[in-house]
Amino acid sequence: MKDIRINKQRLWDTLMEMGEIGGTEKGGCCRLALTDLDRQGRDLFVRWCEEAGCTITIDKMGNIFARRAGEDDSLPPVVMGSHLDTQPTGGKFDGVYGVLAGLEVIRTLNDNNIKTRAPIEASVWTNEEGSRFPPAMVSSGVFAGEFDLEYGLSRADLDGKTMGEELERIGYAGDLDVGGRPFKAFFEAHIEQGPILEDEGKKIGVVTDAQGQRWYELTLTGQESHAGPTPMPIRRDALVGAARIIDMVNRIGMDHQPNACATVGLVQVFPNSRNVIPGQVFFTVDIRHPDAKVLEQMDQALREGAERIAEDGRLEMDFKQIWHSPPVPFDKDCIASVRKATEALGFSYREMVSGAGHDACYISRVAPTSMVFVPCEDGISHNEAERASPDDLAAGCDVLFLAVVQHANH
Ligand code: GLV
Ligand code: MN
Ligand code: MN
């Protein structure tokens, strides 16, 4: 088994073909969850998997499972996968690599006429990004019992369209119950999305943990008023309050180095007219840290600081934490399989903590799970300039292949 290699060119061509769906001028990809483009991407994946002899099932959250039968098909499957949805200015690799690496493992097993003892599945998890429908990882979260089905289906985008409606519309509201079936193990291959592997010249990241994160939605309300006649001292400018909180969020991140991250990525100003003092601002906050205690301190600093700033500006504040995903330790045996596969293939590696959230984080609650990282150029992701080399992508897929086959035959 150690001598079998996945097909590097086929993996690359498959990634490039998927990347054309929603492909952007700058070479990235915009395929937001449950849009028509997401449907096209899903259709293509399903077609490829059927051509590879897989049986497709789809659950009520639109999660897709492509199954390659095992010698003993009654055994729980070893599952690989990630997501096909992207950020609005996303790349061709985030998520997509983990899905298509899974397909490439199946194709390689077919090429070599290998029958595994347990079945193997390649999976697609709906709306991992949480960009269109917050929070992130929502459908793997329903699968793992973090959220109930009703919560998942009722997540809405900024226009009020729900995941349930959009799943129906694009034809991916499946009939399978979400979760409730065992996986022998789950492996997610992914680009690192940070600079560490590239900086250290390492080929593979053996992922031991993922950091915790909390998401918030804040609305500040002041008073709309004329930009000319309204004297500065009496203004209740919601955007000034938001700007102060945004600066504070950045400082909270800087004050909890190393490892803390703190971001405001979405701001909506009402009425957004140049000669009206902004009366209302809606914005989001994303804070992350690998240590739950530090994340808690950051949470406290955010709550207290936002309260103070709102009060000083005589603004009303609606402050909601909408999501908390605690730090995740991955499974020791699965981590060891990834390490052993990497060593057997002779690739350089380092152990690392994932800075991003992944479907693997939730799946780890219901199945032994770990991840394989490969370097990405300049550590850039959630950007159309996201790049990874065909060699590194193939190396990660070879590691995935070995780890998965070992687990399926164990
Ligand atoms: C998922 O892409 C995340 O924001 O970590
Ligand atoms: Mn991802
Ligand atoms: Mn992402």
Side-chain angles (χ1 to χ4, degrees):
M1 210 62 71
K2 205 166 128 261
D3 300 326
I4 294 173
R5 293 289 177 277
I6 62 95
N7 185 326
K8 176 167 83 173
Q9 190 63 45
R10 180 173 59 193
L11 174 63
W12 181 258
D13 291 345
T14 304
L15 279 160
M16 292 306 107
E17 194 173 334
M18 183 61 80
E20 280 170 24
I21 302 174
T24 62
E25 265 177 30
K26 290 186 185 162
C29 203
C30 174
R31 199 169 50 238
L32 295 178
L34 308 185
T35 54
D36 289 343
L37 291 170
D38 188 16
R39 168 180 27 204
Q40 283 177 43
R42 287 161 172 265
D43 288 351
L44 183 58
F45 173 74
V46 166
R47 176 163 71 72
W48 280 334
C49 291
E50 283 174 343
E51 284 167 6
C54 294
T55 310
I56 305 291
T57 50
I58 300 169
D59 73 19
K60 290 175 178 154
M61 285 304 298
N63 298 318
I64 306 172
F65 304 94
R67 183 182 179 99
R68 183 179 191 270
E71 266 164 10
D72 181 352
D73 219 32
S74 66
L75 290 172
V78 176
V79 183
M80 308 163 284
S82 192
H83 57 99
L84 287 178
D85 66 314
T86 76
Q87 292 287 331
T89 54
K92 291 191 176 98
F93 304 96
D94 173 2
V96 189
Y97 169 55
V99 172
L100 299 181
L103 170 61
E104 180 53 38
V105 167
I106 288 175
R107 286 171 165 173
T108 303
L109 289 167
N110 289 348
D111 292 346
N112 293 278
N113 281 318
I114 297 168
K115 192 102 178 149
T116 52
R117 201 164 82 81
I120 286 183
E121 295 185 16
S123 60
V124 175
W125 301 93
T126 301
N127 182 44
E128 187 274 349
E129 293 289 4
S131 172
R132 181 174 176 204
F133 304 98
M137 295 137 58
V138 67
S139 306
S140 47
V142 176
F143 190 95
E146 167 71 7
F147 310 120
D148 60 31
L149 179 64
E150 197 188 326
Y151 174 89
L153 293 176
S154 61
R155 292 311 84 207
D157 67 8
L158 288 170
D159 297 328
K161 290 193 182 128
T162 65
M163 285 187 67
E165 286 159 15
E166 289 294 87
L167 276 168
E168 288 287 347
R169 189 185 67 78
I170 68 163
Y172 274 88
D175 48 18
L176 200 69
D177 283 339
V178 187
R181 72 183 176 109
F183 291 174
K184 197 159 193 289
F186 181 76
F187 291 96
E188 181 168 356
H190 209 283
I191 56 168
E192 179 202 340
Q193 306 184 278
I196 297 171
L197 291 175
E198 189 180 65
D199 283 355
E200 296 185 2
K202 299 279 178 3
K203 201 122 186 121
I204 298 291
V206 175
V207 188
T208 57
D209 300 81
Q211 67 178 342
Q213 48 182 318
R214 294 177 187 244
W215 282 14
Y216 308 82
E217 289 180 352
L218 279 72
T219 304
L220 290 175
T221 307
Q223 190 175 46
E224 281 144 50
S225 173
H226 199 299
T230 315
M232 296 303 288
I234 69 162
R235 295 181 177 205
R236 294 171 59 218
D237 185 328
L239 184 55
V240 170
R244 289 184 177 141
I245 294 177
I246 292 167
D247 181 53
M248 177 192 69
V249 166
N250 184 263
R251 263 183 293 114
I252 291 171
M254 293 303 286
D255 287 349
H256 292 85
Q257 291 304 301
N259 299 328
C261 294
T263 308
V264 173
L266 186 159
V267 180
Q268 287 184 318
V269 181
F270 302 99
N272 216 21
S273 171
R274 66 193 69 202
N275 48 355
V276 179
I277 296 162
Q280 192 166 73
V281 177
F282 169 83
F283 62 106
T284 61
V285 179
D286 170 324
I287 61 172
R288 307 189 188 203
H289 200 281
D291 181 336
K293 279 199 225 73
V294 182
L295 192 60
E296 178 82 38
Q297 289 162 11
M298 294 167 69
D299 171 84
Q300 274 307 316
L302 172 65
R303 286 172 197 271
E304 286 164 18
E307 197 68 54
R308 197 177 359 90
I309 290 168
E311 215 173 283
D312 287 354
R314 290 171 297 117
L315 302 167
E316 282 153 35
M317 180 171 68
D318 180 43
F319 183 106
K320 284 194 201 90
Q321 178 181 296
I322 62 150
W323 186 44
H324 178 200
S325 170
V328 175
F330 288 122
D331 177 76
K332 298 259 174 304
D333 286 343
C334 289
I335 297 168
S337 304
V338 171
R339 193 190 309 109
K340 272 191 221 136
T342 305
E343 283 168 350
L345 291 159
F347 296 133
S348 57
Y349 71 95
R350 66 138 35 226
E351 296 197 346
M352 61 197 309
V353 176
S354 170
H358 298 286
D359 294 305
C361 296
Y362 279 141
I363 302 306
S364 72
R365 296 188 186 182
V366 289
T369 295
S370 70
M371 299 189 68
V372 183
F373 275 0
V374 295
C376 59
E377 210 175 286
D378 299 327
I380 289 177
S381 180
H382 285 190
N383 185 315
E384 290 159 277
E386 182 182 274
R387 301 267 183 280
S389 80
D391 275 354
D392 290 344
L393 294 164
C397 193
D398 277 325
V399 171
L400 180 71
F401 178 88
L402 260 193
V404 163
V405 172
Q406 263 168 14
H407 269 260
N409 286 338
H410 189 58

